[in-house]
Amino acid sequence: MFIQKIIRKRINFYAFILLWIICSCSTYRKIPYFHDLDKINPTIEQIENYSPLTIQPEDILGINVSSLNPEASAIFNYNLNRVNGNNFDNSADNPVVGYLVDQQGNIEIPLIGSMKVAGLTTAEIRNNLKNLLLTYLSEPVVNIRILNFKISVFGDVLKPGVYDVQNERITIAEALSLAGDLQITAVRQIMLVREFEGKREYIPVDLTSKKMFESPYYYLKNNDVLYVQPDKTKFATVDRGYRNATILLSAMSVVAIIFSTLYR
């Protein structure tokens, strides 16, 4: 009888260890990215889902114009001045003026007037503007940038925040890297929120599959938002701490009541 009890305890112990190992492996499998990617041999595929960024209302364009006559070109470059007039103050509170794209998708340019830019790439706008400037300038050269290109990442990441983008190309992977990557407790399926042409889209993105790289949403647009949801273990950790603190405070209250009763 005694030996049977010992055997039963050992069986229960090893069963517990086995169950713990299985659960640990199951949990770990949810953590790595791109499960279906070959980890041994190189994988090569054509990039077919990239399209150049197009301008939309509320974008702010910085346009620099030069020509054989710098004085004549200067009238088109006022947009590069700072808001408070101090061009040496490059703080976030003193941004470059730029050309704001209105709700009709136009910008107002000196001498030229209203110019349609929404739906066009910066390269297309540059070529169109260069042709229009030939009336006023000799051999004009035009450079254009989006001044307010930004994306937001929040939720269960290391550094949630709003990030300025210096060029016209940023991917989901790059955005998450800027935010310090997902926490170990984050769900590997994130949510992309995009506003475009008066509509808001909510797009789930699965980070466990390499199909993310093929998604038409892999390349982000201006004002895109990425939300990373924490899993239940994070809540359990926070909830456990809250419950422990509540129990401790309750115990201290009881002790205080007892002492006040004894020494009244």
Side-chain angles (χ1 to χ4, degrees):
M1 190 71 178
F2 177 73
I3 295 176
Q4 288 179 341
K5 286 184 178 180
I6 293 177
I7 292 174
R8 192 179 300 115
K9 286 182 179 179
R10 287 186 177 181
I11 291 173
N12 292 338
F13 173 76
Y14 289 127
F16 171 78
I17 294 296
L18 181 61
L19 180 62
W20 180 80
I21 292 173
I22 292 172
C23 291
S24 298
C25 292
S26 175
T27 303
Y28 173 76
R29 277 196 290 269
K30 298 177 181 178
I31 295 175
Y33 305 141
F34 322 132
H35 294 175
D36 51 354
L37 191 62
D38 191 336
K39 305 298 192 302
I40 300 175
N41 301 308
T43 301
I44 301 174
E45 59 187 16
Q46 292 293 324
I47 298 175
E48 299 177 347
N49 58 329
Y50 174 73
S51 58
L53 190 70
T54 55
I55 303 304
Q56 55 186 340
E58 303 299 328
D59 284 352
I60 299 176
L61 303 181
I63 301 178
N64 176 261
V65 177
S66 59
S67 69
L68 296 180
N69 188 339
E71 291 78 13
S73 305
I75 188 174
F76 301 101
N77 294 325
Y78 86 97
N79 74 103
L80 300 178
N81 294 326
R82 297 278 172 174
V83 170
N84 69 6
N86 181 5
N87 289 337
F88 295 101
D89 176 12
N90 59 359
S91 64
D93 296 328
N94 187 33
V96 173
V97 175
Y99 289 101
L100 176 65
V101 182
D102 64 25
Q103 292 302 317
Q104 288 69 47
N106 302 319
I107 58 175
E108 291 289 333
I109 300 179
L111 301 181
I112 293 175
S114 181
M115 179 181 177
K116 187 75 172 180
V117 295
L120 302 178
T121 66
T122 53
E124 291 170 332
I125 298 169
R126 181 174 63 246
N127 291 333
N128 293 348
L129 181 56
K130 183 178 179 179
N131 291 332
L132 293 171
L133 289 172
L134 287 172
T135 306
Y136 309 98
L137 302 175
S138 177
E139 298 184 22
V141 176
V142 179
N143 288 292
I144 302 177
R145 292 188 65 182
I146 303 173
L147 300 179
N148 64 334
F149 189 4
K150 64 183 183 300
I151 52 95
S152 303
V153 186
F154 73 109
D156 201 12
V157 293
L158 184 63
K159 298 183 296 182
V162 179
Y163 294 92
D164 295 324
V165 181
Q166 299 303 316
N167 53 38
E168 297 181 10
R169 179 189 178 280
I170 184 170
T171 66
I172 290 176
E174 290 170 330
L176 294 176
S177 297
L178 285 174
D181 201 5
L182 278 64
Q183 302 275 24
I184 199 71
T185 52
V187 176
R188 265 46 184 171
Q189 180 157 314
I190 64 175
M191 184 66 65
L192 167 63
V193 183
R194 171 172 294 172
E195 295 183 1
F196 187 67
E197 296 182 346
K199 298 179 181 179
R200 183 179 294 114
E201 295 180 86
Y202 302 90
I203 304 109
V205 180
D206 186 4
L207 299 181
T208 65
S209 173
K210 74 178 184 67
K211 290 183 179 179
M212 177 192 76
F213 296 103
E214 305 166 11
S215 168
Y217 300 101
Y218 179 61
Y219 295 93
L220 300 179
K221 297 183 181 296
N222 194 8
N223 298 315
D224 276 357
V225 176
L226 292 174
Y227 169 63
V228 179
Q229 179 181 330
D231 67 10
K232 294 180 180 179
T233 58
K234 185 146 193 171
F235 170 76
T237 302
V238 175
D239 185 54
R240 190 182 304 117
Y242 172 78
R243 283 183 293 169
N244 290 342
T246 303
I247 293 171
L248 179 60
L249 289 174
S250 300
M252 292 174 65
S253 300
V254 171
V255 171
I257 292 172
I258 292 173
F259 268 91
S260 63
T261 303
L262 293 175
Y263 295 98
R264 181 178 297 173

